[in-house]
Amino acid sequence: MSTGLRAAIIGTGGVSAIHLEGYRAAGVEVVALCDNNEAVLAARMSQWQVTRGTTDMHELFREGGFDLVSVAAPTAVHHPATLAAARAGVHVLVEKPVASSIALADEMIAACREAGVVLMVNHQLRSSGPVVKARQLIEAGAIGAITHVRLRQAHDWGGQQSVLPSFAARTSSGGGTLLDNGCHLADLAHCLGGEVASVYARLATRKFNIEVEDTAHASIEYAGGALGVIETAWTATGWEEGFWVYGTHGALESTNRTGPTALRHLFRSSPGGTWDATDVAEYRFTGASPHVRHVMAFVDAVRGRQPVACTGEQGREAVRLILAAYASAAANAPVRVEHVTA
Ligand SMILES: NC(=O)c1ccc[n+]([C@@H]2O[C@H](COP(=O)([O-])OP(=O)(O)OC[C@H]3O[C@@H](n4cnc5c(N)ncnc54)[C@H](O)[C@@H]3O)[C@@H](O)[C@H]2O)c1
């Protein structure tokens, strides 16, 4: 059913397709596209049957005619596009990472607040069935006090022999797998376990001839004393994406290796269990993908039907944790997250 809302999409490469799918699922008409690559723009306009297109985002906003915009261009474009959207009074769903620095993220947050528009960050895992259910279980005390958290995103670019140029070049991406995959995990680290106090990270470039790291590990310590580990790689054959949260009275596990939409809750309430045999409650989730749910949540937030599912501030804290991890890797020492201010 149509909401009467209209959207535009800036950056019509790989990830933009899920923005289009999400808007159409939410009853929002995508009326304009913007990509500075003329060929990509023309192909998308034809594929998606969108008649309005421009290579210049400032022209897009000058002409207006839409209420929402997805910023799905490389990370360096997130800040100028969000500021332009705020000036035009347009609500923003910006891809992750929200920005490459705290200072830029703060400017984006302030601009949207002053303009009275929603700023939401596309950390879509917050809208996934397993994460929403895991949060409910943690808040209900189902696993007791959290002891440690394991967060993993490891892939190999589908077996391709090179990394997309916009991801490989530091000026465009801002960082490698630690930023690209790790910012989702940094957001999950907060969302599932609370405030992170410090991080100790190690980076490597092992497979691709690129400026940024393709393999990264980060050990985190929560403000409450629990531990965690973030593992990211562009060098891991296959694709595993998952989270594991351990508590004093149970554990939560979710990995695409056992199905993309499953959450397992392990606990011990039956007598006579063994080391490996615990009680297990399994949850399965159907319906739209996390990406589509997140875009639908953005539309709901704009309509005042639910709180913003991932605020600019939450996106900024994910960036702060990743920047602290980069500082740690450079210093080969633990870094307190609060010390990252720029
Ligand atoms: N949420 C997720 O899971 C997820 C997944 C993939 C990518 N991303 C993020 O989405 C963003 C884009 O990634 P992608 O994989 O789609 O990259 P991509 O390179 O496939 O597409 C980006 C597009 O933006 C266009 N572009 C570049 N500069 C522009 C400008 N100034 N104005 C308009 N268009 C411009 C490029 O021509 C390209 O077509 C990145 O920030 C990335 O981190 C998020």
Side-chain angles (χ1 to χ4, degrees):
M1 207 173 74
S2 171
T3 56
L5 292 170
R6 287 165 302 173
I9 299 177
I10 298 176
T12 59
V15 81
S16 65
I18 56 92
H19 290 258
L20 179 98
E21 190 185 341
Y23 286 129
R24 289 187 172 166
V28 173
E29 187 188 0
V30 175
V31 295
L33 303 178
C34 171
D35 198 296
N36 67 354
N37 180 321
E38 268 180 52
V40 171
L41 177 67
R44 285 303 203 190
M45 287 172 67
S46 150
Q47 180 189 1
W48 294 343
Q49 303 281 291
V50 176
T51 52
R52 221 180 111 192
T54 172
T55 54
D56 175 7
M57 71 166 116
H58 298 292
E59 183 182 306
L60 178 81
F61 287 112
R62 256 195 318 275
E63 289 184 2
F66 50 91
D67 316 279
L68 325 171
V69 69
S70 276
V71 180
T75 305
V77 182
H78 295 182
H79 173 266
T82 299
L83 261 52
R87 277 194 298 274
V90 170
H91 304 283
V92 184
L93 176 59
V94 63
E95 264 304 340
K96 62 78 199 170
V98 61
S100 54
S101 75
I102 303 304
L104 292 176
D106 278 339
E107 285 179 18
M108 293 160 70
I109 292 164
C112 290
R113 189 186 301 119
E114 279 158 29
V117 298
V118 168
L119 172 61
M120 183 160 136
V121 184
N122 203 33
H123 284 301
Q124 76 278 358
L125 293 176
R126 278 189 183 252
S127 296
S128 80
V131 170
V132 170
K133 185 69 189 175
R135 288 186 70 173
Q136 287 168 359
L137 289 167
I138 292 166
E139 279 162 25
I143 62 167
I146 292 177
T147 58
H148 65 124
V149 175
R150 178 186 182 219
L151 303 158
R152 181 161 214 259
Q153 279 200 8
H155 67 88
D156 64 347
W157 284 95
Q160 290 171 49
Q161 289 312 304
S162 61
V163 170
L164 275 180
S166 63
F167 284 76
R170 192 177 295 284
T171 46
S172 161
S173 63
T177 183
L178 179 66
L179 182 63
D180 175 37
N181 304 103
C183 75
H184 278 307
L185 301 183
D187 182 54
L188 264 196
H190 294 131
C191 165
L192 295 171
E195 188 191 342
V196 177
S198 71
V199 57
Y200 196 163
R202 313 197 83 167
L203 311 179
T205 307
R206 301 288 301 158
K207 177 175 175 183
F208 298 105
N209 183 18
I210 53 178
E211 294 175 7
V212 294
E213 76 287 349
D214 60 19
T215 311
H217 286 184
S219 168
I220 60 176
E221 183 180 14
Y222 281 98
L227 301 180
V229 63
I230 290 174
E231 302 169 23
T232 69
W234 292 343
T235 56
T237 301
W239 167 239
E240 185 171 31
E241 176 169 334
F243 65 83
W244 292 256
V245 186
Y246 299 93
T248 48
H249 294 95
L252 298 168
E253 301 181 349
S254 179
T255 160
N256 60 340
R257 293 273 161 87
T258 54
T261 54
L263 175 73
R264 283 156 53 86
H265 174 201
L266 282 64
F267 55 100
R268 294 191 185 273
S269 67
S270 301
T274 60
W275 282 56
D276 60 341
T278 65
D279 298 302
V280 180
E282 185 161 293
Y283 300 89
R284 288 206 169 260
F285 305 89
T286 58
S289 71
H291 278 292
V292 168
R293 285 175 192 231
H294 206 62
V295 178
M296 294 171 87
F298 170 56
V299 174
D300 273 349
V302 167
R303 300 176 81 198
R305 296 185 163 194
Q306 68 171 70
V308 177
C310 183
T311 62
E313 287 84 349
Q314 288 167 328
R316 178 192 63 199
E317 293 315 303
V319 170
R320 196 189 306 275
L321 175 50
I322 294 302
L323 293 178
Y326 278 120
S328 159
N332 195 15
V335 165
R336 291 199 63 80
V337 176
E338 66 192 353
H339 289 170
V340 175
T341 54

